[in-house]
Amino acid sequence: MRDLSAYAVYSPFVLRLGFAIVFVWFGSQQMANPDAWTGFLPEFMNGLPIAPETFVQVNGWTEIVGAFLLVTGFWLRPVAALLALHMFGIAFTAGGAIGMRDFGLGMALVSLALAKPDPCSLDAQFDKQEGT
Amino acid sequence: MTQRMWLTVAVGVVLVAGAVIILVNGATPKETTAQDTNTPTETTANTYTMAQVAEHGDATSCWSAINGNVYDLTAWVGSHPGGERAILSLCGEDGSASFNGQHGSYQQALDALATMKIGTLAE
């Protein structure tokens, strides 16, 4: 089998790109059709001073910005950590097959948060510039 | 300020500005009508047989019997967060086992389902 180890350096970028696509899709769906997503809000959100649909849209926007940060690798570790917590929250709320899937995604984000910024990331570029 | 700081500020401004725009405009909540609530009305008092439910077995008209009630899931096919296949598999069928297995007693799912009730299942 052909040796793919030369491409290993791109592995984190591929993972970040995949996550970015997922978050852009879900974020845009939430912004375009918030009604369909209010069912996923935890019950304690009913007491919020803003409409559930508005909260869903703000969440969607945050996911889109998070996707941009992931794919560019900027503030990669904290963004990945926050998105991992977000996925664990959804997994806990949704339960079932959806919850299990989102738990898996959360664990992959934890892996990203634990890893050093890869050479393809902005963080690595800035670290190099700043000599850190 | 370093390039990293400038970019951080820029991203922060974009994030906050977007959130503020959304909050100021606000989403229009779906208007509820008597048909949307679980209050018995002339429509929700309708009784259907499984044979009638089976006549609505595709995406153009998708009915399902769940836990003794009949629901029109047509509008939900394209909106279901878990994908349309999960809903299409219930069209024209008794979807109780699938729904209960996936959503159990999750109140938010029950509330969403209640808005699509069109009647009860005849015994």
Side-chain angles (χ1 to χ4, degrees):
Chain A
M1 190 172 163
R2 192 177 168 179
D3 183 14
L4 297 174
S5 55
Y7 301 102
V9 68
Y10 301 112
S11 165
F13 172 70
V14 170
L15 186 60
R16 289 191 281 112
L17 179 61
F19 269 117
I21 292 170
V22 167
F23 281 114
V24 163
W25 190 90
F26 278 96
S28 58
Q29 290 290 309
Q30 289 172 66
M31 293 193 70
N33 191 17
D35 290 341
W37 297 89
T38 54
F40 280 94
L41 293 176
E43 283 186 33
F44 70 81
M45 296 277 187
N46 291 337
L48 285 179
I50 59 173
E53 293 81 4
T54 303
F55 184 85
V56 165
Q57 287 189 311
V58 171
N59 185 73
W61 172 242
T62 308
E63 288 189 4
I64 290 171
V65 172
F68 168 78
L69 293 172
L70 270 184
V71 76
T72 56
F74 186 51
W75 288 112
L76 180 56
R77 298 178 94 170
V79 168
L82 283 171
L83 287 174
L85 285 175
H86 180 56
M87 296 310 296
F88 290 141
I90 295 171
F92 179 74
T93 305
I98 294 174
M100 185 51 65
R101 179 201 68 194
D102 289 348
F103 171 76
L105 290 175
M107 292 301 287
L109 283 164
V110 169
S111 170
L112 263 183
L114 291 174
K116 261 177 53 174
D118 58 281
C120 300
S121 67
L122 273 179
D123 280 348
Q125 300 303 318
F126 284 135
D127 286 344
K128 203 171 162 184
Q129 276 179 11
E130 294 162 8
T132 54
Chain B
M1 259 169 85
T2 63
Q3 275 187 325
R4 190 198 300 256
M5 286 183 194
W6 278 116
L7 194 51
T8 303
V9 168
V11 170
V13 167
V14 166
L15 177 65
V16 170
V20 166
I21 290 169
I22 292 169
L23 284 168
V24 165
N25 288 330
T28 307
K30 187 179 160 192
E31 286 184 5
T32 57
T33 63
Q35 200 161 344
D36 288 343
T37 67
N38 211 12
T39 306
T41 63
E42 193 171 335
T43 305
T44 57
N46 289 343
T47 303
Y48 301 96
T49 63
M50 269 313 299
Q52 287 174 301
V53 172
E55 289 171 11
H56 300 267
D58 57 38
T60 57
S61 181
C62 177
W63 289 13
S64 183
I66 299 173
N67 299 330
N69 295 311
V70 178
Y71 300 90
D72 183 350
L73 306 178
T74 310
W76 194 238
V77 171
S79 301
H80 184 239
E84 59 178 39
R85 200 186 300 180
I87 303 301
L88 289 174
S89 68
L90 306 182
C91 298
E93 309 272 342
D94 187 324
S96 303
S98 293
F99 178 83
N100 293 336
Q102 182 66 41
H103 298 294
S105 57
Y106 184 50
Q107 192 57 45
Q108 302 281 26
L110 292 169
D111 290 344
L113 184 64
T115 64
M116 293 175 267
K117 181 178 175 181
I118 57 172
T120 55
L121 187 65
E123 291 182 16

